[in-house]
Amino acid sequence: MAQAVQPKLIVEADAEALARAAAERVLARIAANAGRIAICLTGGSSPRTLYQLLGSEAWRGRIPWERVHWFIGDERFVPDSDPLNNMAVARATFLDRHAPAGHIHPIPTTADNPDAAAEAYARELQAFYGGDQLDPARPLFDLVLMGAGPDGHTASLFPGFPEIEETRRWVVGVPKANVAPFVPRVSLTLPALASCREMLFEIAGQDKRPILTRLCNGENLPALRARSNGETVWLVDKAALPEDIRGPR
């Protein structure tokens, strides 16, 4: 795969249009692979409309569920019954009704601690991949969904925290969070997230405008450092768009 390049910025009219555009990109990546497909989901509020679309009558028939495996880029270290659990939200929204149970790959928050959960998930990812060394020519994921937090974090990689500098491990425990909810986390690392054909950020709403401004200005934040070895796309609605940027590019 090609070396990571600058993100492509696509602007949609509003959050609903953004979710539809994201759904089309997910389906395009699925359609491009005739074999086994791996999608890495994200948590937070940004992807919920997308997940609702993927599970809706109009969209779910376009997904070859028997070929798609669903992973998660980070998780709050809380039980899967906790409403803060990222994969539990995705499962309740669309996965449990449509995806084969063996194709849903949550981070195991029943482990003793976040580090143990990270080691277990790394083993699961490596077993799925068929090796413990990532090959740029053979990406782990077809698509990785991402978001940008108000401090510039992405997944659970927070600015100034040591986990953002990890280059060897695929998954790390994060003992504390920089933003609410202040619970321990487990997160894929930048190299593992980069091993994808497409990394797709969803950034929507006026409250995201300050952080998007900082990212567009090139501030060295995790959400800017996260790049696919293939294509990186920032899908943004007009409410989040900095005033000095006009239209899609």
Side-chain angles (χ1 to χ4, degrees):
M1 297 181 67
Q3 187 176 5
V5 296
Q6 287 292 108
K8 178 181 180 181
L9 178 64
I10 299 175
V11 181
E12 297 291 340
D14 52 35
E16 293 292 331
L18 184 148
R20 290 193 297 272
E24 289 290 2
R25 297 193 74 90
V26 171
L27 291 174
R29 284 296 169 186
I30 289 173
N33 185 349
R36 188 180 65 168
I37 299 153
I39 304 293
C40 186
L41 302 173
T42 187
S45 59
S46 297
R48 291 196 185 200
T49 304
L50 167 62
Y51 296 166
Q52 290 167 355
L53 278 180
L54 294 177
S56 69
E57 184 176 358
W59 293 78
R60 62 177 180 256
R62 299 169 64 185
I63 298 174
W65 296 97
E66 71 285 355
R67 291 196 294 113
V68 185
H69 288 255
W70 307 89
F71 296 87
I72 190 88
D74 73 307
E75 189 57 87
R76 291 130 178 197
F77 196 69
V78 297
D80 58 13
S81 59
D82 193 305
L84 294 177
N85 188 284
N86 288 329
M87 185 61 103
V89 172
R91 295 185 73 152
T93 306
F94 78 110
L95 288 179
D96 280 347
R97 290 191 297 277
H98 308 295
H103 289 205
I104 303 171
H105 303 270
I107 290 172
T109 57
T110 54
D112 290 340
N113 53 60
D115 287 337
E119 291 173 6
Y121 205 53
R123 290 193 296 270
E124 182 168 359
L125 286 169
Q126 289 164 3
F128 180 85
Y129 186 68
D132 60 3
Q133 299 293 322
L134 291 166
D135 180 354
R138 186 169 70 90
L140 172 60
F141 301 112
D142 291 271
L143 183 136
V144 171
L145 292 169
M146 300 283 269
D151 61 344
H153 81 267
T154 195
S156 282
L157 302 173
F158 297 99
F161 282 33
E163 294 81 14
I164 190 66
E165 305 301 338
E166 177 63 48
T167 59
R168 181 179 57 84
R169 289 178 290 174
W170 293 25
V171 192
V172 289
V174 182
K176 63 178 182 178
N178 198 41
V179 297
F182 296 100
V183 297
R185 315 286 183 98
V186 180
S187 182
L188 271 64
T189 59
L190 288 181
L193 292 165
S195 183
C196 61
R197 299 187 186 281
E198 180 176 337
M199 181 179 288
L200 179 62
F201 282 81
E202 284 189 89
I203 305 175
Q206 189 171 356
D207 61 334
K208 291 296 178 75
R209 186 179 296 176
I211 192 59
L212 185 57
T213 299
R214 293 170 65 187
L215 294 172
C216 289
N217 286 336
E219 192 168 335
N220 186 31
L221 295 167
L224 185 63
R225 293 176 61 180
R227 302 282 179 87
S228 170
N229 291 332
E231 182 178 20
T232 303
V233 176
W234 289 357
L235 198 54
V236 178
D237 73 351
K238 288 185 178 179
L241 198 66
E243 293 182 0
D244 60 344
I245 297 177
R246 294 288 181 268
R249 67 180 185 186

